[in-house]
Each structure stands twice: as structure tokens, then as C-alpha cells.
Amino acid sequence: NACWNIARIGASRTWADFGVRGEGITVANIDSGVRFDHPALIEQYRGNEPGGLRHDYNWYDAYAGQPAPTDSGNHGTHTMGTMVGRGLAPDQPAVGVAPGARWIAVRACSSRDCSEVDLIRAAQWVLAPTNLAGEQPRPDLRPHVVNNSWTGGQNASWYMGYVAAWRAAGIFPVFAAGNAGNLIGCSTVQSPGDYANVTAVGATDSAGRLASFSSIG
């Protein structure tokens, strides 16, 4: 049985009808980091190689410079789980949309907020991942998808150039719609989720009801 979130967006139908669970795809998030050794995530980490762990080109910490993936709190681990998390046993269904995908990550945020400078550094690294010394960029190792569960006001154009560069490089950008709520009406989607060339994601509950905190267009 698929978890309700997977069934809600139709991912389980893609798994069943097409046999596609994300294989051959690399996803990234720009967030508070990721606990790479989380049992639902460790096998999908691109730095988990047959010969051991390799964090070069798979992890960048713009926030604190740590050499191995870690999380300032739990938010980035949570969002990566939504992307690629697997069940821990055959009878435990995957909670991630693409449990067959590989993941890399950038930490640009604390447990509560993100600086614009760190978010810009993150955007540049995603285009051409580097080794841990910040050298020898490899644009061929860029991800196919990058998730951003952070927001920066409304009608804010400062990240547009980076999103355009991602699109030009074939990277699919996904942003949170925001948590500004919808009880006061429409037009609460936050930037960069309000850009025309990104996909913004809101939130519902298991019954399909719009979450009260979720921004809407």
C-alpha cells in the first residue's frame, strides 16, 4: 500500500503503470541540510559509493562549512524524505515520491532561516557541483531536479537569474508556495514560488483539504 501522500499526487500510479520510481535521476534540495545516514535515505545518497562515502560533488555546506551532510534541525531531512525516502522493510511503503532516485544536497539555512548570500552560493553550486574545497567544478554532475522549501517575500526578483540559469541547464526547479496561509484570500504565494518558470507546491491533509497554512495563488 502506498502512503496517502504518494497516492494523493498519483505517484503510485506512475510506479505501477510505468515502473518508474526515479531511477537514473538525481535530485537535490537547498535547505537546512540532510542527515545522510538516516536509514530511509542513506542508500539513495549519491555519495554512498561501493568503495565508501564520498562527499565531493554530492554535498555543499554554504551555511557552516561542514565536510559531511548534516542537518541544522530536521527540515531538510524531512523534505528529502518526501522526495526519495524509502520504507525500512518490505512491508513499509516508501514515503518519497521517487524512492529510486539518487540525492545530493546543499545546506544554506539554519533551523529557522536562510541568508540570501548562502542561497545564491547554493544556486551556483547546483549548476556546477564542486569538491569539498570548492574547486574543480563539474557541471555534468548537476542534479535533474532541485527542491527549495524556503521563501523570500512576494514579487521578489532577486533569484530570477539563478532560476533561469537552472532552466537553461536542464534543471527542473521546485519551490514551496509558502506558509502565509489562505484564510485571508488568494495571492499569498511567496517568491520564488510565484515565478512563472517554476513549479510551486502547496499542502493538503490526508483528506485532500487545503492546509490552512498553505499559500495559494
Side-chain angles (χ1 to χ4, degrees), residues 67 116 135 153 175 186 194:
E116 289 188 7
E135 300 170 343
F175 283 85
C186 295
D194 56 4

Side-chain angles (χ1 to χ4, degrees), residues 159-175:
Y159 219 65
M160 280 186 173
Y162 304 104
V163 170
W166 287 345
R167 296 302 300 247
I171 300 169
F172 186 79
V174 182
F175 283 85

Side-chain angles (χ1 to χ4, degrees), residues 15 20-27 43-44 83-86 94 96-103:
W15 297 353
V20 174
R21 294 167 64 91
E23 292 80 3
I25 296 297
T26 297
V27 301
E43 295 300 322
Q44 300 93 287
M83 296 161 73
V84 303
R86 292 180 183 173
V97 174
R102 304 284 271 172
W103 67 267

Side-chain angles (χ1 to χ4, degrees), residues 29-122:
N29 69 354
I30 296 174
D31 211 300
S32 62
V34 176
R35 269 187 55 202
F36 79 93
D37 57 351
H38 191 291
L41 297 174
I42 181 63
E43 295 300 322
Q44 300 93 287
Y45 175 45
R46 195 173 71 180
N48 186 5
E49 300 180 347
L53 293 171
R54 180 173 181 261
H55 303 309
D56 291 298
Y57 302 102
N58 301 311
W59 164 252
Y60 172 49
D61 191 349
Y63 172 69
Q66 292 298 310
T70 186
D71 198 334
S72 302
N74 54 32
H75 192 267
T77 304
H78 155 67
T79 62
M80 190 60 74
T82 302
M83 296 161 73
V84 303
R86 292 180 183 173
L88 303 183
D91 61 341
Q92 293 183 354
V95 298
V97 174
R102 304 284 271 172
W103 67 267
I104 61 177
V106 181
R107 178 161 69 158
C109 309
S110 71
S111 61
R112 297 186 60 85
D113 52 37
C114 321
S115 78
E116 289 188 7
V117 170
D118 288 343
L119 291 170
I120 288 170
R121 290 173 178 158

